[in-house]
Amino acid sequence: MKYAFLALSISLSFSTLAKTNDPIEVIQVSGEAVKLHSLSPKDSTVDGPFGDNLALSDIARAVTPISSAMIEQLNITTLQDMLAVAPNSYSASGFGAPSLPTLRAQLGELFQDGVRRQAGNNGFGIPVSFNAIEQIDIVKGAPPVLFGSSQRNGGFVNLRSKTASTDQQQGKVQLSAGRWDQYRALVDYSAPIVEGQSGFRVSAEHIDNGSFYDYAGYESDSLFAALRFLPDDKSSWDLNFELYSVDYTDNAGINRPTQALIDDGLYITGQGIQPNGSNVPGAGAIVSPTGQVVIPRNQVLTDPDNINNATTYLFHSIYKRELNNQATLKNITYFQHLQRESLAKNSFVEIIDGADTAQNRTELSYQWNDSQTTVFAFDVRYNKVKGYSQFTTEADLPIDLTGPLENRRIPLTAQQQARLVELRPGVFVSPGAQYDINNDGNGDFSLSDTTDSTSWQTGVAFQHDSQWTNKLRTSIGYRLDYYDVVAKDALPPQGHSAAQDSIYETLHSGQASINYKFIPSTTGYIAGSYNQATSNSMAGGHTLGSDNKISEQNFATDNTLLEVGVKYAPEDSPWYIDGAVFNQRRSLRNRDGSNTGIRTQGFETQLFYDASPYWLSAGYSYIDARYDNSASSQDSSQVADAFDNSRPDIINGTSVGAPSFTAFAPSTQRVQGIPEQSVSINGGWSILSNWQIGFGGIYTKSYPLDFLATVNIRDQYTLNINTSYDFTEQTKLRLDINNVTNQDNWRPVFEGGYFGSTLVFPELPINAKLTFQHSF
């Protein structure tokens, strides 16, 4: 602003001098703009969760908006990459294909344009394409009342779709190639249809990636199209559609995660033997160690004959209209269809044979006066899921990865098939309910997540914002959600009618916050929220329990948040700093009917500096995540359970056998799989106007991999570097080198620590990617 006043003063002086006949002394003024990179989050506004066009200092929650420039600069390609910039966002590998964010040691939700997207069951779902995305808003804590009751409450990511331009033509082509035959091509173009009134945008992306890991790969196609209409100066209408198809790998990492494997890459050999003498991986198998070898990190638990693919299409409509000087209307419509098939040779099956979700939310914002505004919302969401699942016969610990592929495969026995239902020739899945075939009073089937469910969620909400003084602002909100759910067995045994149940439940949520501006550059806040959420299942569906009923407890999981923070965002400065302390609790209903509560307390802060020729970001997080006097479970209690004690020089085995599902008593034990502290730092320097270099680093403190803390991931770090050169204003080339020091880092495979004693994921070694971009 001060530069604008300076320019105005100079022009007025020239104007005054021009009215005289005196010679004019020419004064040349030169200067350099403070901002160059536009990478600081304070340069972005946040739409949707708490209102529209809000600056960070106006939001009483920990928020990190990531602009398209930052996505490109930080090389963000998956949800896991958020840790590079957002504190407390460390996540498991999601079997090599993360589909949900992890925030503050808990699974979070994935939204797009303010509407919850379909996602996988506990994070195992389909990967996310960023082809359609222009900005990523990361918010800690449960979704606000405007977004409604959901399933996961650690936090959420709101993906903001690309929009069409109505005033200029613009486009770009990106081509990239990386180590292990990884290739990507993208074309993005936008232009007016009628200048100033309408425009379109299309973006197409193709990815064809080989892999460092054995029998792995990734191939996807995304086609995105958007329209924007500006009928008048009071309304806008944005429409977009994406078709996404992906073929990817279910990557379970390396089994038998002993401390020797983590520290020295040493793997215990020997195939497990079942009590009946079979060496097919199965429950109760025991391994007699035959030796210990250094295992290549690419030798993971995959199979060339596994099938993992999905196709989905999404539609979004966002209409806004200023009704008068006081009222504004906003309507959001969303539809998504998903098909998915996962068939693994270790007998795992998850097939989504059609999942359809539709939602419409209407928001009316009414400004009563200069200081009082209320947003009213009416929301209807429809979700129908038909899917089949089978995970009851998986057994990973008995498998010797150094042996032949047959070691990894689990052909079902006649006894196992009898507890399942044949979906199609050779594919057996669990029924979606329990049946007593032999009339002995006990169920005769193995249950997983098979379901054919339909739900209607109807919500009404309000949020009232008050600007009491120039310094004090408050916000309160409340929402009521009414659920009408029907679930039935999608595949009952032959000769039996499908079990079915229905339920009607009302869920509540509320929030309150106070913002206080100590000085113009510094704002403090206190925020609290409470909500009731639903349980997790594939594609957001609902399942029947072992009693063939929908449990009321699936709709009574309580979640609370208390957060206190401060934000420093001076207008005429390149700095932005914020920090927050929090106490967050969530409760989750498990598939077996048990309940797991987790309480997290901690501190997080982030810093950004953006001024020519440098930029810098840094983040730090501390979290104490513990079970909230509640139970936990693992695939096996500890890795030693898989081994006998015939080679105590290698491992002191317990001969329990594996897998051996273990339920731990209620406790306040530390949650496994989450680092207590993490640090991230990124930066860049414009050496010349057309040549930039940058770096990024992440450090995580040691943490237990399993519940009993028998194995720990040591302190570890990753360092990435990059450089880009602009040949012209339109054409540039960028080189990224990731894990430049070639660290042997590890990560949990699955959220919640269930496989902490069974599997661990080896992160990628040093790798490079070259990207060419031409704008037009």
Side-chain angles (χ1 to χ4, degrees):
M1 183 64 71
K2 61 184 180 183
Y3 296 115
F5 283 123
L6 177 61
L8 179 62
S9 300
I10 293 172
S11 62
L12 288 175
S13 300
F14 286 167
S15 176
T16 302
L17 291 171
K19 294 178 181 179
T20 71
N21 295 322
D22 297 334
I24 298 175
E25 180 182 0
V26 178
I27 302 175
Q28 184 174 358
V29 179
S30 62
E32 185 175 28
V34 174
K35 293 292 177 65
L36 177 69
H37 310 96
S38 296
L39 296 175
S40 175
K42 77 173 185 178
D43 297 325
S44 303
T45 58
V46 177
D47 281 342
F50 308 96
D52 287 345
N53 298 314
L54 295 178
L56 285 189
S57 58
D58 295 329
I59 301 174
R61 289 279 281 274
V63 183
T64 306
I66 305 177
S67 65
S68 57
M70 191 182 294
I71 292 172
E72 180 179 331
Q73 179 62 48
L74 297 180
N75 193 26
I76 294 175
T77 59
T78 74
L79 291 173
Q80 285 182 337
D81 296 332
M82 295 186 309
L83 183 60
V85 66
N88 269 326
S89 59
Y90 185 81
S91 64
S93 73
F95 287 94
S99 63
L100 288 170
T102 297
L103 300 166
R104 291 180 178 168
Q106 303 169 27
L107 274 176
E109 289 288 8
L110 184 65
F111 290 80
Q112 184 169 347
D113 297 329
V115 182
R116 176 161 52 101
R117 285 179 46 149
Q118 291 171 352
N121 184 6
N122 288 328
F124 181 65
I126 68 171
V128 178
S129 168
F130 288 168
N131 175 46
I133 307 308
E134 199 154 48
Q135 180 169 314
I136 304 171
D137 296 331
I138 304 170
V139 184
K140 314 294 176 55
V145 295
L146 293 180
F147 280 11
S149 172
S150 60
Q151 292 181 328
R152 304 166 184 92
N153 293 275
F156 62 94
V157 171
N158 186 34
L159 306 174
R160 291 170 59 178
S161 300
K162 294 175 177 177
T163 57
S165 174
T166 60
D167 54 17
Q168 62 178 334
Q169 297 183 19
Q170 53 191 4
K172 69 177 179 180
V173 175
Q174 280 187 342
L175 302 172
S176 67
R179 191 179 180 187
W180 309 301
D181 295 324
Q182 301 202 0
Y183 304 103
R184 173 179 176 266
L186 177 141
V187 179
D188 187 346
Y189 179 72
S190 181
I193 299 173
V194 177
E195 189 166 349
Q197 298 182 25
S198 59
F200 75 93
R201 185 169 185 171
V202 292
S203 182
E205 177 191 62
H206 176 72
I207 299 176
D208 188 353
N209 285 348
S211 179
F212 162 74
Y213 306 105
D214 290 348
Y215 314 121
Y218 183 102
E219 185 173 1
S220 70
D221 289 285
S222 169
L223 177 62
F224 173 81
L227 292 171
R228 163 165 277 197
F229 298 99
L230 303 176
D232 49 49
D233 60 353
K234 298 182 181 298
S235 58
S236 65
W237 189 17
D238 286 289
L239 303 165
N240 65 67
F241 174 85
E242 182 184 12
L243 174 63
Y244 176 58
S245 177
V246 62
D247 194 337
Y248 58 105
T249 300
D250 172 2
N251 188 342
I254 297 177
N255 64 341
R256 304 179 181 178
T258 62
Q259 197 64 55
L261 176 68
I262 302 301
D263 294 345
D264 303 311
L266 294 175
Y267 182 84
I268 301 175
T269 59
Q271 184 76 356
I273 306 298
Q274 294 189 50
N276 62 5
S278 171
N279 65 357
V280 172
I286 298 176
V287 181
S288 295
T290 58
Q292 200 170 26
V293 300
V294 175
I295 189 170
R297 291 171 63 83
N298 61 299
Q299 199 165 323
V300 292
L301 194 53
T302 54
D303 193 299
D305 293 336
N306 286 353
I307 296 172
N308 281 281
N309 58 61
T311 299
T312 186
Y313 55 84
L314 305 90
F315 169 80
H316 289 87
S317 166
I318 304 174
Y319 177 77
K320 299 179 182 179
R321 180 166 182 82
E322 182 182 331
L323 301 178
N324 52 48
N325 292 335
Q326 293 176 293
T328 301
L329 180 72
K330 180 180 180 180
N331 182 270
I332 303 173
T333 300
Y334 152 81
F335 176 80
Q336 181 175 3
H337 174 79
L338 172 66
Q339 299 274 153
R340 176 173 178 238
E341 183 160 286
S342 180
L343 300 174
K345 288 298 180 179
N346 69 348
S347 76
F348 174 82
V349 178
E350 184 167 295
I351 297 172
I352 298 177
D353 190 22
D356 294 304
T357 306
Q359 184 169 348
N360 182 274
R361 182 168 70 245
T362 299
E363 301 175 10
L364 177 65
S365 176
Y366 192 83
Q367 186 172 355
W368 304 94
N369 52 47
D370 291 341
S371 61
Q372 305 294 325
T373 302
T374 304
V375 179
F376 301 94
F378 179 73
D379 205 341
V380 178
R381 181 180 176 92
Y382 167 82
N383 192 60
K384 180 173 177 57
V385 178
K386 187 175 185 180
Y388 310 94
S389 173
Q390 146 54 11
F391 50 69
T392 62
T393 57
E394 285 183 86
D396 297 325
L397 277 176
I399 295 170
D400 184 350
L401 277 180
T402 66
L405 279 173
E406 286 71 21
N407 281 7
R408 314 177 184 190
R409 297 176 173 175
I410 304 178
L412 299 176
T413 65
Q415 292 81 4
Q416 290 170 329
Q417 292 179 7
R419 295 187 59 81
L420 304 169
V421 181
E422 192 169 22
L423 174 64
R424 55 181 186 249
V427 178
F428 289 84
V429 298
S430 299
Q434 191 57 270
Y435 302 88
D436 182 8
I437 301 295
N438 56 15
N439 297 314
D440 64 353
N442 298 312
D444 296 316
F445 291 88
S446 300
L447 299 185
S448 51
D449 283 336
T450 296
T451 188
D452 184 357
S453 69
T454 302
S455 67
W456 287 91
Q457 175 185 351
T458 305
V460 290
F462 80 90
Q463 175 180 302
H464 185 78
D465 300 324
S466 302
Q467 188 74 48
W468 300 105
T469 68
N470 291 335
K471 294 186 174 183
L472 180 63
R473 178 181 178 181
T474 63
S475 178
I476 59 171
Y478 170 78
R479 175 161 174 151
L480 181 147
D481 280 287
Y482 177 76
Y483 278 84
D484 180 353
V485 180
V486 176
K488 64 180 180 179
D489 187 355
L491 192 68
Q494 189 173 3
H496 289 261
S497 299
Q500 179 174 315
D501 191 30
S502 60
I503 195 169
Y504 309 93
E505 291 290 336
T506 301
L507 277 64
H508 304 268
S509 60
Q511 66 189 43
S513 64
I514 301 173
N515 287 50
Y516 187 80
K517 193 177 291 292
F518 300 107
I519 56 177
S521 63
T522 306
T523 302
Y525 68 88
I526 301 175
S529 74
Y530 165 81
N531 79 350
Q532 294 176 311
T534 62
S535 61
N536 297 338
S537 188
M538 69 167 79
H542 298 268
T543 58
L544 298 173
S546 58
D547 60 354
N548 293 350
K549 301 292 183 182
I550 304 173
S551 173
E552 293 181 1
Q553 295 301 311
N554 290 351
F555 299 84
T557 55
D558 296 339
N559 307 274
T560 60
L561 167 69
L562 176 62
E563 180 175 313
V564 180
V566 62
K567 300 182 180 184
Y568 172 73
E571 287 188 10
D572 298 323
S573 169
W575 290 97
Y576 172 79
I577 306 172
D578 68 26
V581 294
F582 59 88
N583 188 314
Q584 192 165 315
R585 183 187 184 277
R586 78 102 162 106
S587 180
L588 177 64
R589 185 73 171 178
N590 301 316
R591 183 66 178 87
D592 63 359
S594 64
N595 194 73
T596 300
I598 292 178
R599 183 181 294 277
T600 60
Q601 302 175 78
F603 167 75
E604 58 201 23
T605 183
Q606 55 186 352
L607 170 153
F608 292 84
Y609 176 85
D610 187 8
S612 176
Y614 308 104
W615 70 271
L616 177 73
S617 76
Y620 168 78
S621 64
Y622 166 81
I623 189 166
D624 181 22
R626 297 184 177 274
Y627 292 101
D628 191 21
N629 291 310
S630 65
S632 180
S633 62
Q634 277 184 172
D635 184 51
S636 294
S637 66
Q638 57 182 320
V639 66
D641 290 349
F643 302 95
D644 62 26
N645 202 32
S646 61
R647 291 291 304 273
D649 58 315
I650 296 177
I651 189 168
N652 293 314
T654 66
S655 298
V656 170
S660 55
F661 172 82
T662 304
F664 298 104
S667 72
T668 57
Q669 178 82 10
R670 179 179 170 185
V671 176
Q672 65 271 41
I674 298 293
E676 186 179 58
Q677 298 183 62
S678 66
V679 177
S680 64
I681 185 167
N682 302 277
W685 175 33
S686 298
I687 300 175
L688 301 172
S689 61
N690 61 341
W691 182 24
Q692 299 85 36
I693 61 173
F695 69 92
I698 297 173
Y699 161 82
T700 53
K701 188 172 176 57
S702 64
Y703 59 92
L705 184 62
D706 62 320
F707 180 86
L708 297 177
T710 62
V711 177
N712 288 273
I713 304 292
R714 305 298 192 187
D715 291 19
Q716 57 187 24
Y717 71 90
T718 303
L719 179 62
N720 307 320
I721 60 175
N722 65 79
T723 183
S724 62
Y725 186 84
D726 300 345
F727 295 96
T728 68
E729 290 185 0
Q730 291 78 32
T731 305
K732 69 177 180 178
L733 194 65
R734 170 172 167 140
L735 175 66
D736 286 274
I737 303 178
N738 303 312
N739 193 8
V740 68
T741 57
N742 204 28
Q743 300 297 298
D744 290 338
N745 292 333
W746 302 90
R747 187 182 288 257
V749 166
F750 195 60
E751 304 292 348
Y754 182 79
F755 291 106
S757 62
T758 306
L759 302 166
V760 67
F761 195 84
E763 296 192 15
L764 292 173
I766 183 172
N767 61 92
K769 180 176 70 172
L770 191 65
T771 302
F772 168 83
Q773 178 173 306
H774 178 71
S775 301
F776 56 91

